[in-house]
Amino acid sequence: MGDDVARPAEGRQPAAPVSRGQMARRVRILRAASELGAREGLASVQMHDVAKEAGVAIATLYRYFPSKPYLFMAVLEWHIEQYLGSHEHIAAAEGTDAAAEVAELLITLSVKLLDSPLLASAVALSSFTEYATAVPARIDLVDSALGQAILRLLGADEASETDRSRARLLIYGWWGLFVAMLTEEISTEEAETNMRLAARLLLTP
Protein backbone atom coordinates (compact mmCIF):
# COMPACT_ATOMS: atom_id res chain seq x y z
CA MET A 1 0.00 0.00 0.00
CA GLY A 2 1.61 3.28 -1.07
CA ASP A 3 1.54 6.61 0.72
CA ASP A 4 -0.86 8.00 -1.88
CA VAL A 5 -3.68 5.73 -0.74
CA ALA A 6 -6.45 7.67 1.01
CA ARG A 7 -4.53 10.93 0.61
CA PRO A 8 -6.84 13.95 1.06
CA ALA A 9 -7.54 16.30 -1.81
CA GLU A 10 -4.97 19.06 -2.35
CA GLY A 11 -5.64 22.05 -0.14
CA ARG A 12 -7.93 20.29 2.32
CA GLN A 13 -7.45 21.43 5.89
CA PRO A 14 -6.51 18.80 8.47
CA ALA A 15 -9.27 17.80 10.85
CA ALA A 16 -9.03 19.12 14.39
CA PRO A 17 -9.63 16.48 17.07
CA VAL A 18 -12.60 17.38 19.23
CA SER A 19 -13.56 14.39 21.35
CA ARG A 20 -11.34 12.68 23.89
CA GLY A 21 -11.13 9.63 21.63
CA GLN A 22 -10.03 11.74 18.66
CA MET A 23 -7.37 13.48 20.72
CA ALA A 24 -6.12 10.10 21.95
CA ARG A 25 -5.88 8.83 18.35
CA ARG A 26 -3.94 11.93 17.34
CA VAL A 27 -1.46 11.40 20.18
CA ARG A 28 -1.06 7.73 19.20
CA ILE A 29 -0.24 8.82 15.67
CA LEU A 30 2.31 11.38 16.86
CA ARG A 31 3.91 8.86 19.20
CA ALA A 32 4.06 6.21 16.46
CA ALA A 33 5.61 8.67 13.99
CA SER A 34 8.14 9.72 16.64
CA GLU A 35 9.19 6.16 17.33
CA LEU A 36 9.44 5.21 13.66
CA GLY A 37 11.26 8.43 12.79
CA ALA A 38 13.74 7.90 15.63
CA ARG A 39 14.46 4.34 14.44
CA GLU A 40 14.39 4.74 10.67
CA GLY A 41 14.64 8.39 9.65
CA LEU A 42 12.27 10.35 7.44
CA ALA A 43 12.94 8.65 4.10
CA SER A 44 12.23 5.16 5.42
CA VAL A 45 9.03 6.00 7.27
CA GLN A 46 5.87 5.25 5.27
CA MET A 47 2.51 6.68 6.21
CA HIS A 48 0.83 3.27 6.18
CA ASP A 49 3.47 2.06 8.68
CA VAL A 50 2.63 4.99 10.96
CA ALA A 51 -1.08 4.14 10.72
CA LYS A 52 -0.39 0.48 11.51
CA GLU A 53 1.86 1.34 14.45
CA ALA A 54 -0.75 3.77 15.82
CA GLY A 55 -3.62 1.33 15.29
CA VAL A 56 -5.64 3.66 13.07
CA ALA A 57 -6.94 3.49 9.51
CA ILE A 58 -4.81 5.17 6.85
CA ALA A 59 -7.75 7.48 6.07
CA THR A 60 -7.78 8.60 9.71
CA LEU A 61 -4.08 9.36 9.56
CA TYR A 62 -4.49 11.52 6.46
CA ARG A 63 -7.53 13.23 7.93
CA TYR A 64 -5.34 14.68 10.68
CA PHE A 65 -2.03 14.87 8.79
CA PRO A 66 -2.39 15.48 5.03
CA SER A 67 1.27 14.69 4.23
CA LYS A 68 4.36 13.16 5.78
CA PRO A 69 6.15 16.53 6.13
CA TYR A 70 3.07 17.97 7.81
CA LEU A 71 2.99 14.97 10.16
CA PHE A 72 6.61 15.41 11.20
CA MET A 73 6.21 19.14 11.72
CA ALA A 74 3.34 18.23 14.05
CA VAL A 75 5.69 15.75 15.75
CA LEU A 76 8.15 18.59 16.34
CA GLU A 77 5.42 20.80 17.82
CA TRP A 78 4.23 17.91 19.99
CA HIS A 79 7.74 17.27 21.34
CA ILE A 80 8.14 20.95 22.13
CA GLU A 81 4.78 20.95 23.92
CA GLN A 82 5.79 17.84 25.88
CA TYR A 83 9.06 19.47 26.90
CA LEU A 84 7.37 22.69 27.95
CA GLY A 85 4.69 20.73 29.77
CA SER A 86 7.38 19.23 31.98
CA HIS A 87 8.58 22.77 32.73
CA GLU A 88 5.26 24.36 33.66
CA HIS A 89 7.04 26.73 36.03
CA ILE A 90 8.39 28.67 33.04
CA ALA A 91 7.49 32.28 33.76
CA ALA A 92 9.16 35.58 34.42
CA ALA A 93 10.44 35.95 37.96
CA GLU A 94 11.24 39.29 39.53
CA GLY A 95 14.90 40.19 39.21
CA THR A 96 15.75 37.46 36.70
CA ASP A 97 17.67 38.04 33.49
CA ALA A 98 15.04 37.46 30.78
CA ALA A 99 17.63 37.17 27.98
CA ALA A 100 19.59 34.53 29.88
CA GLU A 101 16.40 32.62 30.78
CA VAL A 102 15.13 32.59 27.20
CA ALA A 103 18.53 31.52 25.83
CA GLU A 104 18.76 28.70 28.37
CA LEU A 105 15.27 27.48 27.48
CA LEU A 106 16.09 27.33 23.76
CA ILE A 107 19.52 25.75 24.29
CA THR A 108 18.07 23.05 26.56
CA LEU A 109 15.30 22.38 24.04
CA SER A 110 17.87 21.91 21.27
CA VAL A 111 19.83 19.43 23.33
CA LYS A 112 16.65 17.52 24.16
CA LEU A 113 15.60 17.26 20.50
CA LEU A 114 19.11 16.24 19.42
CA ASP A 115 19.00 13.28 21.82
CA SER A 116 17.36 11.46 18.87
CA PRO A 117 19.42 12.43 15.77
CA LEU A 118 17.29 10.57 13.22
CA LEU A 119 14.08 12.11 14.50
CA ALA A 120 15.73 15.54 14.65
CA SER A 121 16.75 15.10 11.01
CA ALA A 122 13.21 14.02 10.10
CA VAL A 123 11.61 17.15 11.51
CA ALA A 124 14.31 19.39 10.04
CA LEU A 125 13.93 17.89 6.56
CA SER A 126 10.16 18.22 6.83
CA SER A 127 10.47 21.91 7.62
CA PHE A 128 12.17 22.47 4.25
CA THR A 129 9.32 20.88 2.29
CA GLU A 130 6.67 23.08 0.74
CA TYR A 131 3.83 21.47 2.69
CA ALA A 132 2.16 24.83 3.21
CA THR A 133 0.70 24.72 -0.30
CA ALA A 134 -1.39 21.70 0.70
CA VAL A 135 -2.22 23.04 4.16
CA PRO A 136 -2.33 26.82 3.85
CA ALA A 137 -3.59 27.74 7.32
CA ARG A 138 -0.72 27.83 9.81
CA ILE A 139 -0.61 29.68 13.11
CA ASP A 140 1.83 32.46 13.82
CA LEU A 141 4.94 31.04 15.51
CA VAL A 142 4.36 33.39 18.43
CA ASP A 143 1.06 31.65 19.14
CA SER A 144 2.76 28.26 19.38
CA ALA A 145 3.60 26.73 22.75
CA LEU A 146 7.22 27.84 22.36
CA GLY A 147 6.28 31.40 21.43
CA GLN A 148 3.97 31.67 24.44
CA ALA A 149 6.68 30.30 26.76
CA ILE A 150 9.09 32.96 25.52
CA LEU A 151 6.52 35.70 26.09
CA ARG A 152 5.95 34.44 29.64
CA LEU A 153 9.69 34.66 30.31
CA LEU A 154 9.59 38.22 29.01
CA GLY A 155 6.79 38.97 31.46
CA ALA A 156 4.59 40.05 28.57
CA ASP A 157 1.09 39.37 29.91
CA GLU A 158 -0.31 41.62 27.20
CA ALA A 159 2.27 41.23 24.47
CA SER A 160 2.91 44.23 22.26
CA GLU A 161 3.71 43.80 18.59
CA THR A 162 7.36 44.45 19.47
CA ASP A 163 7.25 41.64 22.05
CA ARG A 164 5.74 39.32 19.45
CA SER A 165 8.36 40.29 16.87
CA ARG A 166 11.17 39.59 19.36
CA ALA A 167 9.71 36.18 20.19
CA ARG A 168 9.31 35.39 16.50
CA LEU A 169 12.91 36.38 15.70
CA LEU A 170 14.19 34.31 18.62
CA ILE A 171 12.37 31.23 17.35
CA TYR A 172 13.73 31.73 13.83
CA GLY A 173 17.23 32.21 15.23
CA TRP A 174 16.90 29.15 17.44
CA TRP A 175 15.72 27.01 14.54
CA GLY A 176 18.62 28.10 12.34
CA LEU A 177 21.11 27.25 15.07
CA PHE A 178 19.36 23.93 15.73
CA VAL A 179 19.71 22.93 12.08
CA ALA A 180 23.35 24.09 12.05
CA MET A 181 24.04 21.91 15.10
CA LEU A 182 22.24 18.97 13.51
CA THR A 183 24.29 19.23 10.31
CA GLU A 184 27.47 19.84 12.33
CA GLU A 185 28.12 23.17 10.63
CA ILE A 186 28.78 24.58 14.08
CA SER A 187 29.61 22.98 17.39
CA THR A 188 27.21 22.79 20.31
CA GLU A 189 29.37 25.31 22.16
CA GLU A 190 29.25 27.77 19.24
CA ALA A 191 25.48 27.37 18.94
CA GLU A 192 25.01 28.05 22.64
CA THR A 193 27.21 31.14 22.49
CA ASN A 194 25.32 32.44 19.45
CA MET A 195 21.93 31.76 21.05
CA ARG A 196 22.89 33.69 24.15
CA LEU A 197 24.17 36.57 22.01
CA ALA A 198 20.99 36.62 19.91
CA ALA A 199 18.81 36.69 23.03
CA ARG A 200 20.93 39.47 24.53
CA LEU A 201 20.81 41.60 21.37
CA LEU A 202 17.06 41.13 20.87
CA LEU A 203 15.96 41.50 24.48
CA THR A 204 18.27 44.06 26.01
CA PRO A 205 16.50 47.44 26.12
Coordinates of all heavy atoms in Angstrom, one line a residue, residues 157-190:
D157 N 2.5 39.9 29.7 CA 1.1 39.4 29.9 C 0.2 39.8 28.8 O -0.7 39.1 28.3 CB 0.5 39.9 31.3 CG 1.3 39.2 32.4 OD1 1.7 38.1 32.3 OD2 1.4 39.9 33.5
E158 N 0.4 41.1 28.4 CA -0.3 41.6 27.2 C 0.8 42.0 26.2 O 1.2 43.1 26.2 CB -1.2 42.8 27.6 CG -2.3 42.4 28.5 CD -3.2 43.6 28.8 OE1 -3.1 44.7 28.2 OE2 -4.1 43.5 29.7
A159 N 1.1 41.1 25.4 CA 2.3 41.2 24.5 C 2.0 42.3 23.4 O 1.0 42.3 22.8 CB 2.6 39.9 23.8
S160 N 3.0 43.2 23.3 CA 2.9 44.2 22.3 C 3.4 43.6 21.0 O 3.9 42.5 20.9 CB 3.8 45.4 22.6 OG 5.2 45.0 22.6
E161 N 3.2 44.3 19.9 CA 3.7 43.8 18.6 C 5.2 43.7 18.6 O 5.8 42.8 18.0 CB 3.3 44.7 17.4 CG 3.5 44.1 16.1 CD 2.9 42.7 15.9 OE1 1.8 42.4 16.4 OE2 3.7 41.8 15.4
T162 N 5.9 44.6 19.3 CA 7.4 44.4 19.5 C 7.7 43.2 20.2 O 8.7 42.5 19.8 CB 7.9 45.7 20.2 OG1 7.7 46.8 19.4 CG2 9.4 45.5 20.4
D163 N 7.0 42.9 21.3 CA 7.2 41.6 22.1 C 7.1 40.4 21.1 O 7.9 39.5 21.2 CB 6.3 41.5 23.2 CG 6.5 42.5 24.3 OD1 7.7 42.9 24.5 OD2 5.5 43.0 24.9
R164 N 6.0 40.4 20.3 CA 5.7 39.3 19.5 C 6.8 39.2 18.4 O 7.3 38.1 18.1 CB 4.4 39.5 18.8 CG 3.2 39.3 19.8 CD 1.9 39.6 19.1 NE 1.6 38.6 18.1 CZ 1.1 37.4 18.4 NH1 0.8 37.0 19.6 NH2 0.8 36.5 17.4
S165 N 7.3 40.3 17.9 CA 8.4 40.3 16.9 C 9.6 39.7 17.5 O 10.4 39.0 16.8 CB 8.6 41.7 16.3 OG 7.5 42.2 15.6
R166 N 10.0 40.1 18.7 CA 11.2 39.6 19.4 C 11.1 38.1 19.5 O 12.0 37.4 19.3 CB 11.3 40.3 20.7 CG 11.9 41.7 20.6 CD 11.9 42.4 22.0 NE 12.5 43.7 21.9 CZ 12.4 44.6 22.9 NH1 11.7 44.3 24.0 NH2 13.0 45.7 22.8
A167 N 9.9 37.6 20.0 CA 9.7 36.2 20.2 C 9.8 35.4 18.9 O 10.5 34.4 18.8 CB 8.3 35.9 20.8
R168 N 9.3 36.0 17.8 CA 9.3 35.4 16.5 C 10.8 35.3 16.0 O 11.2 34.3 15.5 CB 8.4 36.2 15.5 CG 8.2 35.5 14.2 CD 7.3 36.3 13.3 NE 5.9 36.6 13.9 CZ 5.5 37.7 14.4 NH1 6.3 38.8 14.3 NH2 4.3 37.8 14.9
L169 N 11.5 36.4 16.1 CA 12.9 36.4 15.7 C 13.8 35.4 16.5 O 14.7 34.8 16.0 CB 13.5 37.8 15.8 CG 13.0 38.8 14.8 CD1 13.4 40.2 15.2 CD2 13.5 38.5 13.4
L170 N 13.5 35.3 17.8 CA 14.2 34.3 18.6 C 13.9 32.9 18.2 O 14.9 32.1 18.1 CB 13.8 34.5 20.1 CG 14.4 35.7 20.8 CD1 13.7 36.0 22.1 CD2 15.9 35.4 21.1
I171 N 12.7 32.6 17.8 CA 12.4 31.2 17.3 C 13.1 30.9 16.0 O 13.6 29.9 15.8 CB 10.9 31.0 17.2 CG1 10.2 31.1 18.6 CG2 10.5 29.7 16.6 CD1 8.7 31.1 18.6
Y172 N 13.0 31.9 15.1 CA 13.7 31.7 13.8 C 15.2 31.5 14.0 O 15.9 30.7 13.4 CB 13.5 32.9 12.9 CG 12.2 32.9 12.2 CD1 11.4 34.1 12.2 CD2 11.7 31.8 11.5 CE1 10.1 34.1 11.6 CE2 10.5 31.8 10.9 CZ 9.7 33.0 10.9 OH 8.5 33.0 10.3
G173 N 15.8 32.3 14.9 CA 17.2 32.2 15.2 C 17.5 30.9 15.9 O 18.5 30.2 15.5
W174 N 16.7 30.5 16.8 CA 16.9 29.2 17.4 C 16.8 28.0 16.4 O 17.7 27.1 16.4 CB 15.8 28.9 18.5 CG 15.7 27.5 18.9 CD1 16.6 26.8 19.7 CD2 14.7 26.6 18.5 NE1 16.2 25.5 19.8 CE2 15.0 25.3 19.1 CE3 13.5 26.7 17.8 CZ2 14.2 24.2 18.9 CZ3 12.7 25.6 17.6 CH2 13.1 24.3 18.2
W175 N 15.9 28.1 15.5 CA 15.7 27.0 14.5 C 16.9 26.9 13.6 O 17.4 25.9 13.3 CB 14.4 27.2 13.7 CG 14.2 26.1 12.8 CD1 14.3 26.2 11.4 CD2 13.9 24.7 13.1 NE1 14.0 24.9 10.8 CE2 13.8 24.0 11.8 CE3 13.7 24.0 14.3 CZ2 13.5 22.7 11.8 CZ3 13.4 22.7 14.2 CH2 13.3 22.0 13.0
G176 N 17.4 28.1 13.2 CA 18.6 28.1 12.3 C 19.8 27.5 13.0 O 20.6 26.7 12.4
L177 N 20.0 27.8 14.3 CA 21.1 27.2 15.1 C 20.9 25.8 15.3 O 21.9 25.0 15.3 CB 21.3 28.0 16.4 CG 21.8 29.4 16.3 CD1 21.6 30.2 17.6 CD2 23.2 29.4 15.8
F178 N 19.7 25.4 15.5 CA 19.4 23.9 15.7 C 19.8 23.1 14.5 O 20.4 22.1 14.6 CB 17.9 23.8 16.0 CG 17.4 22.3 16.1 CD1 17.7 21.5 17.1 CD2 16.7 21.8 15.0 CE1 17.3 20.2 17.1 CE2 16.3 20.5 15.0 CZ 16.6 19.7 16.1
V179 N 19.4 23.6 13.3 CA 19.7 22.9 12.1 C 21.2 22.9 11.9 O 21.8 21.9 11.4 CB 19.0 23.6 10.9 CG1 19.5 23.0 9.6 CG2 17.5 23.4 11.0
A180 N 21.9 24.0 12.2 CA 23.4 24.1 12.0 C 24.0 23.1 13.0 O 25.1 22.5 12.6 CB 23.8 25.5 12.3
M181 N 23.5 22.9 14.2 CA 24.0 21.9 15.1 C 23.8 20.5 14.5 O 24.7 19.6 14.6 CB 23.4 22.0 16.5 CG 23.7 23.3 17.2 SD 22.7 23.5 18.7 CE 23.1 22.0 19.7
L182 N 22.6 20.3 14.0 CA 22.2 19.0 13.5 C 23.2 18.6 12.4 O 23.6 17.4 12.2 CB 20.8 19.0 13.1 CG 20.2 17.7 12.4 CD1 20.2 16.6 13.4 CD2 18.8 18.0 12.0
T183 N 23.5 19.5 11.5 CA 24.3 19.2 10.3 C 25.8 19.4 10.6 O 26.6 19.3 9.7 CB 23.9 20.2 9.1 OG1 24.0 21.5 9.6 CG2 22.5 19.9 8.7
E184 N 26.1 19.7 11.9 CA 27.5 19.8 12.3 C 28.2 21.0 11.6 O 29.4 20.9 11.5 CB 28.2 18.5 12.2 CG 27.6 17.4 13.1 CD 28.4 16.1 13.0 OE1 29.3 16.0 12.1 OE2 28.1 15.2 13.9
E185 N 27.5 22.0 11.2 CA 28.1 23.2 10.6 C 28.8 24.0 11.7 O 29.8 24.7 11.5 CB 27.1 24.0 9.9 CG 26.5 23.4 8.6 CD 25.5 24.3 8.0 OE1 25.6 25.5 8.0 OE2 24.5 23.7 7.4
I186 N 28.2 23.9 12.9 CA 28.8 24.6 14.1 C 28.7 23.6 15.2 O 27.9 22.7 15.3 CB 28.1 25.9 14.4 CG1 26.6 25.7 14.8 CG2 28.2 26.9 13.3 CD1 25.9 26.9 15.3
S187 N 29.6 23.8 16.2 CA 29.6 23.0 17.4 C 28.5 23.4 18.3 O 27.9 24.5 18.2 CB 31.0 23.1 18.1 OG 31.1 24.4 18.7
T188 N 28.2 22.5 19.3 CA 27.2 22.8 20.3 C 27.6 24.0 21.1 O 26.8 24.9 21.4 CB 27.1 21.6 21.3 OG1 26.7 20.4 20.5 CG2 26.0 21.9 22.4
E189 N 28.9 24.2 21.4 CA 29.4 25.3 22.2 C 29.2 26.6 21.4 O 28.7 27.6 21.9 CB 30.9 25.1 22.5 CG 31.2 24.0 23.5 CD 31.0 22.6 22.9 OE1 31.1 22.5 21.6 OE2 30.9 21.7 23.6
E190 N 29.5 26.6 20.1 CA 29.3 27.8 19.2 C 27.8 28.1 19.2 O 27.4 29.3 19.2 CB 29.8 27.5 17.8 CG 31.3 27.5 17.7 CD 31.8 27.1 16.4 OE1 31.2 26.1 15.8 OE2 32.7 27.7 15.8

